[in-house]
């Protein structure tokens, strides 16, 4: 026969009792501490439910407060907005309205990074033109390294072709480099479109020049088509050199320079007309 000690009997008696029951002879100070402890315990239980996703009784006002908190949490600071405005001002642009969400700032920074890569890709494509095999030369050997005299023969094996003297990169490699550059152009245009459509269209602010975007996009598609045509049929003419000029004109700084030159020419013509 087993006997229970006093501690076990006391635990059994308290098992069904209310844990928050207050003694009848408690003083006022003990009652205040009891109320505070109970409120803290209930607040802790409520917080645990929210963290575990078990709180399904949220009211509409609570949801509104949560959304307001989330919106405040994702807003840019005034310094970040000022930095955005300053960066645009340095680039020669300025707008009356800018988005406040941090997501817009992240998309903008991604766009600026891809814009820098876009400038480098255009430079690479222009430099590539000095090392490409001329279209009137033998372009059938896509990945064979040959000298200019071997590829470009005018009248026969003993003829001399006056070339630049720079090494020539096989057509297969130049097409691969060109495709990589075109992918960079596409990523820049994609990021540009996302920034405009997601954050500026709702306020009808033309942050991106739609005309230049369309021209650059058409030039990109034309360049991809031109690479495919050249890789398949080896024609004696290509559109790629002209599309590279279009890409350069789509650069805002180059575009502003061209506008300034047109303005200078117009002023010069107006002066010449008086002679």
């Amino acid at each position: 026969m087993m006997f229970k000690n006093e501690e076990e009997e006391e635990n059994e008696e308290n098992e069904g009792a209310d844990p928050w029951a207050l003694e009848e002879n408690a003083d006022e100070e003990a009652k205040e501490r009891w109320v505070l402890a109970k409120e803290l315990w209930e607040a802790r239980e409520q917080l645990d439910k929210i963290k575990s996703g078990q709180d399904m009784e949220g009211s509409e006002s609570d949801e509104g407060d949560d959304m307001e908190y989330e919106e405040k949490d994702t807003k840019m600071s005034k310094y970040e907005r000022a930095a955005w405005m300053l960066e645009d001002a340095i680039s020669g642009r300025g707008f009356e309205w800018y988005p406040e969400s941090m997501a817009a700032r992240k998309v903008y920074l991604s766009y600026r990074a891809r814009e820098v890569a876009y400038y480098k890709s255009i430079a690479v494509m222009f430099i590539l033109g000095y090392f490409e095999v001329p279209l009137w030369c033998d372009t059938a050997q896509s990945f064979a390294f040959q000298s200019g005299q071997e590829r470009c023969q005018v009248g026969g094996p003993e003829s001399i072709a006056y070339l630049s003297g720079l090494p020539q990169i096989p057509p297969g490699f130049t097409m691969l480099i060109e495709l990589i550059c075109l992918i960079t152009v596409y990523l820049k245009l994609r990021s540009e479109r996302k920034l405009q459509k997601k954050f500026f269209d709702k306020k009808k602010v033309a942050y991106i020049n739609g005309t230049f975007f369309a021209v650059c996009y058409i030039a990109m598609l034309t360049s991809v088509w031109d690479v495919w045509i050249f890789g398949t049929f080896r024609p004696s003419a290509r559109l790629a050199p002209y599309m590279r000029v279009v890409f350069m004109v789509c650069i805002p700084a180059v575009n502003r320079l061209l506008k300034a030159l047109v303005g200078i020419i117009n002023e010069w013509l107006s002066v010449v007309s008086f002679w």
Side-chain angles (χ1 to χ4, degrees):
M1 183 175 181
M2 298 180 62
F3 296 94
K4 297 181 180 179
N5 56 30
E6 295 180 359
E7 186 177 353
E8 291 178 348
E9 291 178 356
E10 185 177 355
N11 291 337
E12 289 182 359
E13 290 178 1
N14 296 332
E15 187 175 354
D18 185 5
W20 291 103
L22 186 65
E23 297 180 359
E24 296 180 358
N25 57 351
D27 56 5
E28 293 296 329
E29 185 178 356
K31 290 181 179 179
E32 292 179 0
R33 290 198 301 266
W34 176 84
V35 172
L36 180 60
K38 187 174 182 180
E39 290 178 352
L40 289 174
W41 182 265
E42 291 177 351
R44 182 180 177 182
E45 286 185 339
Q46 188 73 9
L47 183 61
D48 291 339
K49 288 182 180 180
I50 293 174
K51 288 182 177 179
S52 61
Q54 295 178 356
D55 186 18
M56 306 299 292
E57 299 177 356
S59 61
E60 294 181 0
S61 60
D62 293 336
E63 292 178 359
D65 294 339
D66 292 341
M67 291 177 64
E68 184 179 358
Y69 173 78
E70 184 179 356
E71 184 178 349
K72 290 180 180 179
D73 188 45
T74 57
K75 280 186 178 180
M76 285 187 290
S77 66
K78 59 182 180 181
Y79 303 106
E80 289 169 326
R81 291 191 72 194
W84 191 344
M85 295 177 186
L86 179 60
E87 290 162 359
D88 280 351
I90 294 173
S91 302
R93 301 191 301 178
F95 303 91
E96 296 181 357
W97 180 87
Y98 282 85
E100 298 181 354
S101 65
M102 198 63 197
R105 178 67 176 170
K106 292 179 180 179
V107 174
Y108 167 76
L109 293 176
S110 174
Y111 156 67
R112 290 304 296 265
R114 290 175 178 177
E115 188 179 40
V116 173
Y118 169 78
Y119 296 156
K120 293 179 180 179
S121 297
I122 294 175
V124 169
M125 285 192 286
F126 269 96
I127 295 173
L128 192 64
Y130 292 98
F131 300 94
E132 287 179 316
V133 177
L135 294 176
W136 57 271
C137 298
D138 180 19
T139 59
Q141 303 295 327
S142 297
F143 297 98
F145 284 90
Q146 295 176 328
S147 65
Q149 296 299 329
E150 291 176 336
R151 282 186 180 273
C152 306
Q153 297 181 2
V154 181
E158 299 180 357
S159 62
I160 299 176
Y162 293 96
L163 303 172
S164 64
L166 294 174
Q168 294 181 355
I169 302 177
F173 292 110
T174 58
M175 285 189 291
L176 289 176
I177 295 172
E178 192 171 359
L179 285 175
I180 293 173
C181 293
L182 291 175
I183 291 174
T184 305
V185 173
Y186 167 74
L187 292 176
K188 179 258 185 183
L189 293 175
R190 179 184 176 186
S191 181
E192 201 173 39
R193 179 57 181 164
K194 180 179 179 181
L195 181 63
Q196 174 66 42
K197 187 175 181 180
K198 191 172 182 180
F199 300 104
F200 285 92
D201 277 354
K202 57 184 178 181
K203 293 293 183 178
K204 297 182 179 180
V205 176
Y207 189 81
I208 304 300
N209 191 314
T211 302
F212 283 102
F213 176 86
V215 170
C216 192
Y217 198 85
I218 292 173
M220 180 203 66
L221 294 178
T222 304
S223 297
V224 174
W225 175 80
D226 180 74
V227 171
W228 178 77
I229 290 294
F230 179 71
T232 305
F233 301 104
R234 292 292 196 276
S236 59
R238 291 192 64 187
L239 296 175
Y242 307 101
M243 295 302 104
R244 295 168 190 175
V245 175
V246 173
F247 289 141
M248 186 180 67
V249 173
C250 288
I251 298 175
V254 176
N255 181 251
R256 290 194 298 269
L257 177 62
L258 292 177
K259 288 182 178 179
L261 291 176
V262 171
I264 292 172
I265 293 173
N266 290 335
E267 293 296 329
W268 181 79
L269 293 175
S270 64
V271 173
V272 172
S273 63
F274 287 103
W275 290 359

